[in-house]
Structures are given as C-alpha cells and as structure tokens.
C-alpha cells in the first residue's frame, strides 16, 4: 500500500513529491482537466522539471495552439535545461501574466539578460547561426522597452542608456535623455569612444546637442564640432565674447584655442567666418596664428640647449677625417641638432656652419632639410624662406 512506511524515518510513499499524476491528466481530452493539470504543473515545475521535461513535445504543441500556461511551464523546463533562447521564446508567448519582470528569481534575471542580448543582436542585424532561435520581434521589443522604462524610473537610467546605445535605437536614447538630461555628457562620451557606426553616432550627437542647455557652452561647441556644424559653434562663441562678464569672454577665447588645437583648420576657418569682423582677438586666435606664436615664443625663451655640445660634436667628426662612416656620422649629428633645438626656431648653429650642413648629399639631404623643419615646427609664416637655402635654386622644367 502507498501508506506503508518505507523506512524508520517515517516518510510514506504518498508524501514523495511527483508530477506524474498531473502529467497523466494532460492526456485527457477534457480541456478543463488539462487546464487544471497545467496550473498545478506550473506550481511544481521548478522542483519536478526532470519529470515534466518528458512531456515537452505535448507542452510545446499546446503552447503553439495558444495555451499561455503550457508555454509558461515549457519555458521553465527549458530554463532548467540551460536553453535560455527557447525559454525566452516560450516566456514571450506566455505573456506578462506568467512572466513577472519585477521578481528577483534566477529564472527572470537570466531571461531578462537573454532578452537584452537577443534584442541587441536583432537591432544590429547580426547574422544568426542555424542554432539560434528566431524570436518574435514585436513582443521582444515591447519587453525590452518595458524593462528600460522601469530602469529609468527606478534610478538606473545610465544602465538603460547603455542598452539603448548598444541596440542602436535612437528613439530609446532620445526618451532616456529627455527623462534624465544629466546623462548627456555620458552619451557624448559613449558616442565618441564606443559607438562605431558613423550614422548612428551622428544621430546620437544630434540628440545630445538638442538636449544641451546654454549653461554648458563647452559641450555644445564639442558636439557641434563633431557634427561638422560651424554655424552653431560661431553662435556660442559670439554669445560668450559679447557678454559683459569677463569670465564669459575668457571662456570664449579659451574655446577658440581648443578649436585650433584640434587641428581641423577647415572647420576653424568656417567658424571664424561666422564670427564676422567683430571679435579681432578671437579671429587672431582662430586664423591669425596666435597659438603658434605663443608656442614658439615659449619654446624659444625656455630653451636650455647648449651650443657647445654641437660645436664639440662637429669638431670631433672633422677630426675623424673623411672615412667611409663620415656621411652616416654627419647625418647623425644633423639629427642630433634637430632634436636639441626642436620647436625653438633657434637655427644659429646651422646658419653659422651652413657649408658644413650642405655636405649632406642624396637621401641625407632630405633628412637635413627635414631637420630644419623640426627646429622651426609651427613657424609657418616664413616656411619657404627658411628652407630656401637648402633647396635647389634651379627651376624644375
């Protein structure tokens, strides 16, 4: 008998948990009995899933016919079998009633992570292998949107923004930044360092630019520069330079220096044209070469190069005579001079010993000319005059 004690522990066979009775009811043609069995299986599937797994084909058949409870039971069985894609597919079919997103169970947490991964893959149009499970796009999108909205409301907007950027969905990025505008700098940083798709990056930058306020001119200039939009940058600089506050004027000039440092001369010229002729100091910084003048002046005044070193080196090389190594040593000494006086515009040694400098021949002459460019790096106003002594005077026909 079922009530006979199996051991001295006092556990009867009737108390051993089993799902066989509910599985047997699934074979009944009565839909009421089937529904009752499915509801009971849903309660015990997390502990009796090895038994329930034997009925997976029938559960999937019932799920395909629209039975949400059967889909929920099958989803949990696949979850315990470590087949998250199948579990997620059936959870989406089961609907919100049987898939509580706010519960902290391992089942929900792992399927939520699988949903994010699947949605990002779909949005990025990744090529799925034959082993991948095709998930319904609309329910998956609705699920992810619901999760991200909940994350924003519960103070995890930064996490939601990261998912939206990975999924490359501009509408989600816009919605998140509208509700959490303080994340604008983070979105900008991610767009410039993480996002690789150019078109999507520009769309994110447009969203960030639209959400920036006037009290953050540095970011506005940076965003519009990344978007290659000189007109808004000119407007920001005009507002700062025309302000009655000295700090705003200084900030405007500092932004001009920052623009020049980027090296995008074409963009800087367009910004300068947008300023007109009203702000002479800013124009001098942008297109007047003032940054180069400051750099050259600084390096020239603080140069601690010792000319005696070059004098000694030159004398030592001359004492060695004109052996086979002379050309190599001569080229080496010219390069040494360029590093010693780099950016200082101090070429007095070369001008005093121009004949020695001109001993360079063939490819070494190119290096010697380039070394003069190193010494005068940034001194563009007299570039041709500086290298003229080393260039061929005969016209090229």
């Amino acid at each position: 008998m079922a009530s006979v004690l199996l051991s001295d522990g006092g556990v009867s066979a009737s108390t051993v948990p089993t799902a066989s009775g509910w599985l047997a009811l699934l074979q009944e043609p009565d839909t009421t009995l089937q529904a009752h069995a499915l509801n009971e299986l849903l309660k015990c599937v997390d502990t009796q899933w090895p038994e329930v797994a034997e009925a997976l084909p029938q559960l999937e058949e019932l799920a395909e016919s629209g039975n949400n409870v059967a889909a929920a039971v099958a989803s949990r069985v696949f979850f315990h079998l470590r087949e998250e894609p199948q579990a997620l597919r059936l959870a989406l079919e089961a609907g919100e009633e049987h898939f509580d997103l706010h519960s902290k169970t391992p089942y929900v947490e792992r399927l939520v992570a699988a949903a994010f991964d699947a949605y990002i893959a779909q949005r990025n149009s990744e090529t799925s292998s034959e082993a991948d499970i095709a998930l319904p796009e609309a329910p998956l999108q609705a699920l992810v949107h619901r999760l991200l909205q909940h994350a924003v409301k519960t103070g995890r907007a930064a996490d939601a923004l990261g998912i939206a950027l990975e999924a490359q969905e501009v509408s989600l990025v816009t919605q998140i930044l509208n509700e959490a505008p303080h994340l604008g700098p983070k979105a900008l940083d991610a767009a410039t360092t993480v996002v690789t798709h150019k078109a999507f990056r520009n769309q994110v930058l447009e969203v960030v630019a639209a959400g920036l306020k006037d009290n953050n001119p540095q970011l506005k200039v940076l965003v519009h520069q990344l978007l290659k939009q000189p007109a808004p940058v000119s407007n920001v600089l005009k507002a700062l330079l025309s302000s009655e506050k000295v700090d705003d004027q200084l900030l405007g000039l500092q932004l001009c220096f920052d623009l020049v440092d980027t090296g995008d001369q074409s963009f800087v010229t367009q910004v300068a044209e947008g300023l007109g002729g009203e702000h002479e100091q800013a124009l001098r910084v942008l297109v007047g070469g003032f940054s180069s003048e400051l750099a050259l002046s600084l390096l020239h005044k603080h140069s601690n190069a010792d000319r005696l070193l070059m004098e000694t080196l030159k004398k030592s090389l001359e004492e060695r005579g004109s052996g086979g190594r002379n050309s190599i040593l001569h080229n080496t000494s010219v390069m040494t001079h360029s590093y010693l006086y780099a950016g200082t515009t101090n070429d007095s040694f070369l001008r005093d010993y121009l004949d020695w400098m001109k001993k360079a021949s063939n490819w070494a002459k190119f290096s010697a000319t380039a070394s003069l460019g190193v010494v005068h790096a940034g001194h563009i106003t007299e570039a041709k005059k500086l290298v003229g002594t080393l260039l061929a005077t005969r016209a090229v026909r």
Side-chain angles (χ1 to χ4, degrees):
M1 295 177 62
S3 59
V4 175
L5 295 179
L6 297 178
S7 66
D8 294 338
V11 180
S12 64
S14 60
T15 63
V16 176
T18 179
S20 57
W22 308 123
L23 292 173
L25 285 180
L26 288 181
Q27 311 301 324
E28 297 292 333
D30 190 339
T31 56
T32 303
L33 292 176
Q34 285 185 352
H36 178 67
L38 289 171
N39 286 325
E40 294 300 324
L41 287 173
L42 186 59
K43 297 176 183 177
C44 66
V45 65
D46 288 328
T47 56
Q48 302 301 312
W49 63 266
E51 275 188 280
V52 182
E54 297 177 3
L56 269 178
Q58 186 178 2
L59 290 171
E60 289 195 86
E61 184 178 347
L62 290 171
E64 289 176 1
S65 64
N67 192 314
N68 293 344
V69 182
V73 174
S75 173
R76 281 163 173 76
V77 173
F78 276 117
F79 164 73
H80 290 292
L81 291 173
R82 301 296 179 89
E83 295 187 24
E84 280 86 358
Q86 287 280 21
L88 177 60
R89 175 182 64 83
L90 289 162
L92 292 174
E93 293 180 11
E96 298 181 34
E97 182 183 353
H98 303 290
F99 188 31
D100 184 7
L101 299 177
H102 307 310
S103 63
K104 300 296 183 180
T105 62
Y107 169 75
V108 171
E109 290 179 352
R110 282 172 59 180
L111 288 199
V112 164
F116 284 140
D117 291 339
Y119 186 66
I120 291 171
Q122 281 188 1
R123 291 288 306 176
N124 292 338
S125 301
E126 293 181 358
T127 304
S128 299
S129 64
E130 292 181 0
D132 291 336
I133 306 300
L135 297 172
E137 185 173 345
L140 180 61
Q141 183 182 41
L143 171 66
V144 171
H145 282 204
R146 230 169 36 246
L147 287 168
L148 296 184
Q149 288 170 3
H150 178 71
V152 172
K153 291 178 181 178
T154 55
R156 293 180 290 122
D159 297 335
L161 179 62
I163 297 294
L165 289 171
E166 274 198 83
Q168 297 189 11
E169 188 163 0
V170 180
S171 60
L172 272 180
V173 174
T174 304
Q175 181 181 345
I176 293 169
L177 290 181
N178 286 339
E179 297 184 20
H182 64 281
L183 292 178
K186 278 194 174 183
L188 174 59
D189 181 63
T192 53
T193 59
V194 178
V195 177
T196 57
H197 194 277
K198 184 177 180 180
F200 176 67
R201 183 193 305 122
N202 288 340
Q203 290 176 328
V204 173
L205 291 175
E206 291 280 4
V207 173
V208 173
L212 288 176
K213 297 180 180 179
D214 294 335
N215 60 357
N216 202 337
Q218 296 97 320
L219 277 184
K220 292 190 77 170
V221 168
L222 176 58
V223 171
H224 289 296
Q225 183 184 4
L226 292 172
L227 289 170
K228 303 296 182 183
Q229 297 173 344
V233 175
S234 298
N235 293 335
V236 172
L237 293 179
K238 281 181 183 178
L240 291 172
L241 296 171
S242 302
S243 174
E244 296 180 356
K245 297 180 180 179
V246 178
D247 288 346
D248 288 345
Q249 296 174 14
L250 293 176
L251 178 58
L253 292 174
Q254 180 60 54
L255 291 176
C256 291
F257 280 108
D258 293 341
L259 286 171
V260 173
D261 288 341
T262 62
D264 191 346
Q265 192 59 41
S266 175
F267 182 81
V268 171
T269 302
Q270 291 176 329
V271 172
E273 291 173 354
L275 290 179
E278 302 175 5
H279 307 285
E280 294 182 4
Q281 288 182 319
L283 291 175
R284 186 183 175 196
V285 173
L286 291 171
V287 292
F290 186 57
S291 295
S292 298
E293 292 176 15
L294 289 178
L296 291 173
S297 176
L298 176 68
L299 291 173
H300 183 77
K301 291 179 179 179
H302 292 81
S303 173
N304 293 322
D306 189 353
R307 175 169 172 149
L308 184 59
L309 291 175
M310 287 305 305
E311 297 276 3
T312 305
L313 180 59
K314 174 181 174 296
K315 183 178 180 181
S316 177
L317 292 178
E318 288 175 345
E319 291 175 353
R320 287 176 174 268
S322 57
R325 296 180 298 171
N326 188 50
S327 61
I328 298 175
L329 294 175
H330 179 270
N331 187 53
T332 303
S333 62
V334 172
M335 292 298 103
T336 301
H337 175 270
S338 68
Y339 287 125
L340 193 62
Y341 291 96
T344 64
T345 69
N346 184 359
D347 61 354
S348 59
F349 177 82
L350 292 183
R351 295 196 176 279
D352 291 343
Y353 298 101
L354 193 57
D355 292 336
W356 174 80
M357 173 81 165
K358 288 183 176 180
K359 287 182 180 180
S361 60
N362 301 327
W363 286 108
K365 191 166 186 177
F366 286 98
S367 299
T369 306
S371 73
L372 190 61
V374 173
V375 175
H376 290 277
H379 197 187
I380 58 177
T381 55
E382 299 183 17
K384 291 184 178 180
K385 180 181 177 181
L386 291 170
V387 299
T389 55
L390 296 177
L391 296 177
T393 57
R394 185 177 61 181
V396 179
R397 297 181 180 178

